[in-house]
């Protein structure tokens, strides 16, 4: 069922002609959602994956070109081993189960994050999903997995420095644009809107460079409860903001 069948008045909740190009979501609160119900943390993550399915479909129905979701941070390795391996398994399951539907919806899957420490089965599932969906021309779903913003910036700087040292890139060409291209080889634009669920007011290493002028929307709703209606509410809040980018508001 499409978003417009589920929520027939979606077009009244948001202005469909002024949607963000790139939405980022820090999917937080799975653990607290589970704890409040006496469930294991992993069951919370499972419930979170169901939400991801719905929100990706809604993003595609809205024809929003880019969606980045924070699924596993470089800091999340600090969690108990059982939870970490559960999250790895969940990504594999998600990709296996959803790939056909994502492709049927013309969605392209890309990843941000470091390959280091990720096991071969997870990497294989990621590569398969990226390859199979590469020709798709609809919404780009960027899954930030084993992603840390500071590490990504440092790694891009290091790669560029190596190119400068080898002479591949003359030092005079080291422009901010070149740096951006190195940082985001998938060509994703800066964020327009970043949503964080679960009532936490921080970015937790989520794309510090690309979020420079993003509008931030925080909601107390835990991620497993974040449905299409909540998504539309967050987009509606984004649409109330006056984005000046350092300039002045139009008269
Ligand atoms: C977000 O939910 C999912 C990941 C970080 C992988 P959490 O697991 O952080 O949930 P809380 O913050 O403990 O409630
Ligand atoms: C951020 O959430 C990472 C993801 C949503 C994947 P965390 O729950 O890990 O962030 P902190 O520890 O509360 O800052
Ligand atoms: Mg959390």
């Amino acid at each position: 069922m499409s978003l417009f069948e589920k929520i027939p008045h979606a077009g009244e909740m948001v202005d469909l002609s002024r949607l963000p190009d790139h939405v980022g979501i820090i999917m937080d609160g799975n653990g607290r959602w589970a704890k409040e119900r006496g469930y294991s943390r992993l069951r919370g993550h499972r419930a979170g994956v169901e939400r991801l399915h719905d929100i990706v479909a809604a993003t595609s129905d809205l024809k929003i070109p880019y969606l980045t979701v924070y699924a596993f941070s470089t800091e999340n390795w600090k969690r108990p081993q059982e939870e970490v391996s559960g999250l790895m398994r969940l990504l594999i399951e998600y990709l296996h189960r959803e790939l056909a539907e994502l492709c049927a919806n013309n969605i392209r899957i890309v990843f941000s994050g470091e390959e280091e420490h990720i096991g071969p089965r997870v990497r294989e599932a990621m590569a398969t999903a990226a390859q199979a969906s590469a020709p798709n021309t609809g919404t780009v779903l960027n899954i930030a997995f084993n992603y840390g913003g500071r590490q990504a910036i440092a790694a891009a700087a290091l790669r560029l420095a190596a190119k400068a040292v080898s002479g591949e890139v003359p030092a005079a060409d080291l422009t901010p644009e070149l740096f951006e291209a190195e940082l985001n080889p998938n060509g994703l634009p800066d964020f327009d809107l970043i949503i964080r669920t679960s009532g936490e007011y921080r970015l937790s290493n989520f794309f510090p460079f690309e979020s420079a002028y993003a509008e931030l929307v925080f909601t107390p709703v835990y991620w497993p409860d974040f449905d299409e209606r909540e998504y539309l509410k967050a987009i509606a809040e984004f649409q109330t903001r006056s984005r000046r980018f350092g300039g002045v508001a139009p008269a």
Side-chain angles (χ1 to χ4, degrees):
M1 209 200 282
S2 86
L3 174 69
F4 297 100
E5 286 165 318
K6 269 192 196 172
I7 306 177
H9 61 290
E12 290 152 37
M13 290 179 73
V14 298
D15 178 347
L16 296 172
S17 70
R18 289 193 311 115
L19 293 169
D21 277 337
H22 191 182
V23 177
I25 305 183
I26 303 172
M27 309 184 288
D28 199 10
N30 297 349
R32 279 162 285 165
W33 180 91
K35 192 173 180 195
E36 283 181 11
R37 287 160 179 78
Y39 301 156
S40 69
R41 292 183 57 86
L42 212 53
R43 187 151 167 200
H45 295 313
R46 277 192 191 285
V49 175
E50 302 299 316
R51 264 327 124 221
L52 180 60
H53 170 274
D54 293 350
I55 296 302
V56 170
T59 305
S60 168
D61 289 341
L62 288 166
K63 298 192 167 53
I64 291 174
Y66 301 95
L67 172 67
T68 292
V69 293
Y70 208 2
F72 191 87
S73 78
T74 43
E75 287 71 39
N76 288 147
W77 294 102
K78 292 178 195 160
R79 297 186 178 207
Q81 163 62 31
E82 191 186 290
E83 181 172 352
V84 169
S85 50
L87 287 165
M88 298 291 148
R89 255 196 332 271
L90 271 184
L91 178 69
I92 296 177
E93 278 175 32
Y94 171 79
L95 293 172
H96 283 172
R97 199 180 54 224
E98 307 275 329
L99 186 57
E101 186 180 329
L102 290 167
C103 284
N105 287 328
N106 198 21
I107 294 168
R108 181 155 72 94
I109 304 156
V110 299
F111 296 91
S112 288
E114 300 169 23
E115 285 206 353
E116 214 185 342
H117 305 307
I118 297 183
R121 287 190 52 234
V122 183
R123 255 189 277 181
E124 199 184 294
M126 291 164 85
T128 304
Q131 273 162 27
S133 67
N136 298 345
T137 54
T139 294
V140 175
L141 169 63
N142 180 32
I143 302 179
F145 199 85
N146 195 22
Y147 175 82
R150 286 180 160 190
Q151 295 88 328
I153 291 170
L158 209 62
R159 287 195 301 273
L160 261 193
K163 287 181 189 174
V165 167
S166 74
E168 186 186 334
V169 175
D173 289 354
L174 294 176
T175 58
E177 291 72 27
L178 198 75
F179 180 77
E180 263 187 78
E182 188 68 49
L183 186 60
N184 285 306
N186 288 321
L188 274 78
D190 283 352
F191 290 98
D192 299 301
L193 164 62
I194 294 175
I195 302 165
R196 183 167 189 153
T197 58
S198 87
E200 304 293 355
Y201 296 86
R202 57 177 171 271
L203 290 175
S204 304
N205 213 2
F206 184 80
F207 295 87
F209 187 93
E210 300 84 342
S211 64
Y213 267 101
E215 295 300 329
L216 309 179
V217 170
F218 297 99
T219 163
V221 174
Y222 292 144
W223 175 248
D225 290 329
F226 191 85
D227 59 12
E228 292 92 336
R229 238 168 257 281
E230 293 296 334
Y231 192 30
L232 291 171
K233 274 159 62 180
I235 294 172
E237 185 172 337
F238 162 81
Q239 292 181 332
T240 67
R241 307 279 177 88
S242 164
R243 302 186 79 195
R244 293 185 289 277
F245 298 97
V248 288

